[in-house]
Short mmCIF file of all heavy atoms in Angstrom, two decimals:
data_model
loop_
_atom_site.label_atom_id
_atom_site.label_comp_id
_atom_site.label_asym_id
_atom_site.label_seq_id
_atom_site.Cartn_x
_atom_site.Cartn_y
_atom_site.Cartn_z
N GLY Y 52 -0.56 8.48 -11.61
CA GLY Y 52 -0.25 8.53 -13.02
C GLY Y 52 -1.45 8.01 -13.78
O GLY Y 52 -2.35 7.42 -13.21
N VAL Y 60 -3.19 10.65 -4.25
CA VAL Y 60 -3.45 9.22 -4.10
C VAL Y 60 -3.61 8.89 -2.62
O VAL Y 60 -2.78 9.28 -1.80
CB VAL Y 60 -2.30 8.40 -4.71
CG1 VAL Y 60 -2.51 6.91 -4.46
CG2 VAL Y 60 -2.20 8.66 -6.21
N LEU Y 61 -4.69 8.18 -2.31
CA LEU Y 61 -4.91 7.74 -0.93
C LEU Y 61 -4.11 6.49 -0.64
O LEU Y 61 -3.39 6.40 0.35
CB LEU Y 61 -6.40 7.47 -0.69
CG LEU Y 61 -6.72 6.99 0.72
CD1 LEU Y 61 -6.76 8.17 1.67
CD2 LEU Y 61 -8.03 6.22 0.75
N ARG Y 71 -8.07 10.93 -5.08
CA ARG Y 71 -9.14 11.91 -4.98
C ARG Y 71 -9.78 12.14 -6.35
O ARG Y 71 -9.11 12.09 -7.38
CB ARG Y 71 -8.62 13.24 -4.46
CG ARG Y 71 -8.30 13.26 -2.98
CD ARG Y 71 -8.06 14.70 -2.54
NE ARG Y 71 -7.81 14.78 -1.10
CZ ARG Y 71 -7.88 15.90 -0.41
NH1 ARG Y 71 -8.20 17.03 -1.02
NH2 ARG Y 71 -7.65 15.90 0.89
N ASP Y 76 -13.22 14.46 -13.73
CA ASP Y 76 -13.80 13.11 -13.64
C ASP Y 76 -15.29 13.08 -13.93
O ASP Y 76 -15.92 12.02 -13.86
CB ASP Y 76 -13.56 12.53 -12.24
CG ASP Y 76 -12.11 12.25 -11.96
OD1 ASP Y 76 -11.38 11.91 -12.90
OD2 ASP Y 76 -11.70 12.38 -10.78
N ALA Y 77 -15.89 14.22 -14.25
CA ALA Y 77 -17.35 14.27 -14.41
C ALA Y 77 -17.84 13.27 -15.46
O ALA Y 77 -18.83 12.55 -15.22
CB ALA Y 77 -17.78 15.69 -14.78
N ASP Y 86 -25.10 3.14 -16.40
CA ASP Y 86 -25.24 1.71 -16.67
C ASP Y 86 -26.38 1.15 -15.83
O ASP Y 86 -26.30 1.16 -14.60
CB ASP Y 86 -23.93 0.98 -16.35
CG ASP Y 86 -23.94 -0.48 -16.76
OD1 ASP Y 86 -25.01 -1.12 -16.73
OD2 ASP Y 86 -22.86 -1.00 -17.11
N LEU Y 113 -16.10 16.61 -3.85
CA LEU Y 113 -14.90 17.44 -3.73
C LEU Y 113 -14.91 18.23 -2.42
O LEU Y 113 -13.87 18.37 -1.77
CB LEU Y 113 -14.81 18.39 -4.93
CG LEU Y 113 -14.69 17.72 -6.30
CD1 LEU Y 113 -14.61 18.77 -7.40
CD2 LEU Y 113 -13.49 16.78 -6.37
N TRP Y 125 -13.21 7.91 -3.30
CA TRP Y 125 -12.01 7.98 -4.11
C TRP Y 125 -12.18 7.22 -5.42
O TRP Y 125 -12.72 6.10 -5.45
CB TRP Y 125 -10.83 7.39 -3.34
CG TRP Y 125 -10.51 8.17 -2.10
CD1 TRP Y 125 -9.77 9.30 -2.00
CD2 TRP Y 125 -10.96 7.88 -0.77
NE1 TRP Y 125 -9.73 9.74 -0.70
CE2 TRP Y 125 -10.45 8.88 0.08
CE3 TRP Y 125 -11.73 6.86 -0.21
CZ2 TRP Y 125 -10.69 8.90 1.44
CZ3 TRP Y 125 -11.98 6.88 1.15
CH2 TRP Y 125 -11.46 7.90 1.97
N ALA Y 126 -11.71 7.84 -6.47
CA ALA Y 126 -11.75 7.19 -7.78
C ALA Y 126 -10.82 5.98 -7.77
O ALA Y 126 -9.70 6.05 -7.27
CB ALA Y 126 -11.30 8.19 -8.85
N ALA Y 131 -2.39 -0.86 -13.82
CA ALA Y 131 -1.65 -1.29 -15.01
C ALA Y 131 -1.94 -0.40 -16.21
O ALA Y 131 -1.03 0.06 -16.90
CB ALA Y 131 -1.97 -2.75 -15.33
N GLY Y 147 -22.46 12.64 12.80
CA GLY Y 147 -21.23 13.27 13.24
C GLY Y 147 -20.33 12.43 14.11
O GLY Y 147 -19.33 12.93 14.66
N GLN Y 151 -16.50 6.19 13.41
CA GLN Y 151 -16.91 5.15 12.48
C GLN Y 151 -17.17 5.73 11.10
O GLN Y 151 -17.27 6.95 10.93
CB GLN Y 151 -18.15 4.43 12.99
CG GLN Y 151 -19.33 5.33 13.30
CD GLN Y 151 -20.50 4.57 13.90
OE1 GLN Y 151 -20.84 3.48 13.43
NE2 GLN Y 151 -21.11 5.12 14.93
N ARG Y 160 -19.11 -2.28 -14.92
CA ARG Y 160 -19.37 -3.69 -15.18
C ARG Y 160 -18.11 -4.43 -15.65
O ARG Y 160 -17.91 -5.61 -15.36
CB ARG Y 160 -20.47 -3.84 -16.23
CG ARG Y 160 -21.60 -4.72 -15.73
CD ARG Y 160 -22.56 -5.08 -16.82
NE ARG Y 160 -23.24 -3.94 -17.40
CZ ARG Y 160 -24.19 -4.07 -18.33
NH1 ARG Y 160 -24.52 -5.26 -18.77
NH2 ARG Y 160 -24.78 -3.00 -18.82
N ALA Y 174 -8.40 -3.00 1.60
CA ALA Y 174 -7.43 -1.93 1.77
C ALA Y 174 -8.02 -0.76 2.55
O ALA Y 174 -7.35 -0.16 3.41
CB ALA Y 174 -6.92 -1.47 0.42
N ARG Y 187 -15.15 1.55 14.17
CA ARG Y 187 -16.13 0.68 13.50
C ARG Y 187 -16.24 1.07 12.04
O ARG Y 187 -16.24 2.25 11.68
CB ARG Y 187 -17.50 0.82 14.17
CG ARG Y 187 -18.64 0.05 13.53
CD ARG Y 187 -19.93 0.28 14.32
NE ARG Y 187 -21.05 -0.47 13.81
CZ ARG Y 187 -22.04 0.04 13.05
NH1 ARG Y 187 -22.03 1.33 12.72
NH2 ARG Y 187 -23.03 -0.71 12.63
N VAL Y 188 -16.34 0.05 11.20
CA VAL Y 188 -16.67 0.23 9.78
C VAL Y 188 -17.93 -0.58 9.52
O VAL Y 188 -18.03 -1.73 9.95
CB VAL Y 188 -15.53 -0.26 8.87
CG1 VAL Y 188 -15.97 -0.29 7.41
CG2 VAL Y 188 -14.31 0.63 9.03
N ALA Y 194 -31.12 -6.51 0.81
CA ALA Y 194 -31.00 -7.90 1.21
C ALA Y 194 -30.82 -8.83 0.02
O ALA Y 194 -30.17 -9.87 0.12
CB ALA Y 194 -32.21 -8.32 2.04
N HIS Y 215 -36.18 -2.46 7.43
CA HIS Y 215 -37.04 -2.02 6.32
C HIS Y 215 -37.21 -0.51 6.36
O HIS Y 215 -37.40 0.08 7.42
CB HIS Y 215 -38.40 -2.72 6.40
CG HIS Y 215 -38.34 -4.19 6.19
ND1 HIS Y 215 -38.53 -4.78 4.97
CD2 HIS Y 215 -38.06 -5.20 7.06
CE1 HIS Y 215 -38.39 -6.09 5.07
NE2 HIS Y 215 -38.11 -6.37 6.33
N ASP Y 217 -39.07 3.01 4.41
CA ASP Y 217 -40.23 3.44 3.63
C ASP Y 217 -39.73 4.21 2.41
O ASP Y 217 -39.04 5.23 2.54
CB ASP Y 217 -41.15 4.35 4.48
CG ASP Y 217 -41.82 3.58 5.60
OD1 ASP Y 217 -42.14 2.40 5.39
OD2 ASP Y 217 -42.01 4.17 6.68
N ILE Y 222 -38.09 0.01 -5.49
CA ILE Y 222 -37.63 -0.75 -6.63
C ILE Y 222 -37.77 -2.24 -6.31
O ILE Y 222 -37.92 -2.61 -5.14
CB ILE Y 222 -36.17 -0.40 -6.99
CG1 ILE Y 222 -35.23 -0.78 -5.82
CG2 ILE Y 222 -36.04 1.08 -7.32
CD1 ILE Y 222 -33.75 -0.55 -6.14
N HIS Y 227 -37.87 -7.07 0.60
CA HIS Y 227 -37.07 -7.97 1.43
C HIS Y 227 -36.18 -7.22 2.42
O HIS Y 227 -35.53 -7.84 3.26
CB HIS Y 227 -36.21 -8.87 0.55
CG HIS Y 227 -37.00 -9.73 -0.38
ND1 HIS Y 227 -37.74 -10.81 0.07
CD2 HIS Y 227 -37.19 -9.66 -1.72
CE1 HIS Y 227 -38.34 -11.39 -0.97
NE2 HIS Y 227 -38.03 -10.70 -2.06
N GLU Y 238 -12.22 -6.48 16.73
CA GLU Y 238 -12.36 -7.76 16.03
C GLU Y 238 -11.31 -7.89 14.93
O GLU Y 238 -10.71 -8.96 14.76
CB GLU Y 238 -13.76 -7.86 15.42
CG GLU Y 238 -14.89 -7.83 16.43
CD GLU Y 238 -16.26 -7.68 15.77
OE1 GLU Y 238 -16.33 -7.13 14.65
OE2 GLU Y 238 -17.24 -8.11 16.39
#
Side-chain angles (χ1 to χ4, degrees):
V60 176
L61 179 80
R71 285 191 178 196
D76 293 327
D86 187 328
L113 299 180
W125 297 277
Q151 55 184 317
R160 234 190 298 184
R187 176 180 183 258
V188 171
H215 294 266
D217 292 325
I222 63 176
H227 300 288
E238 298 170 335

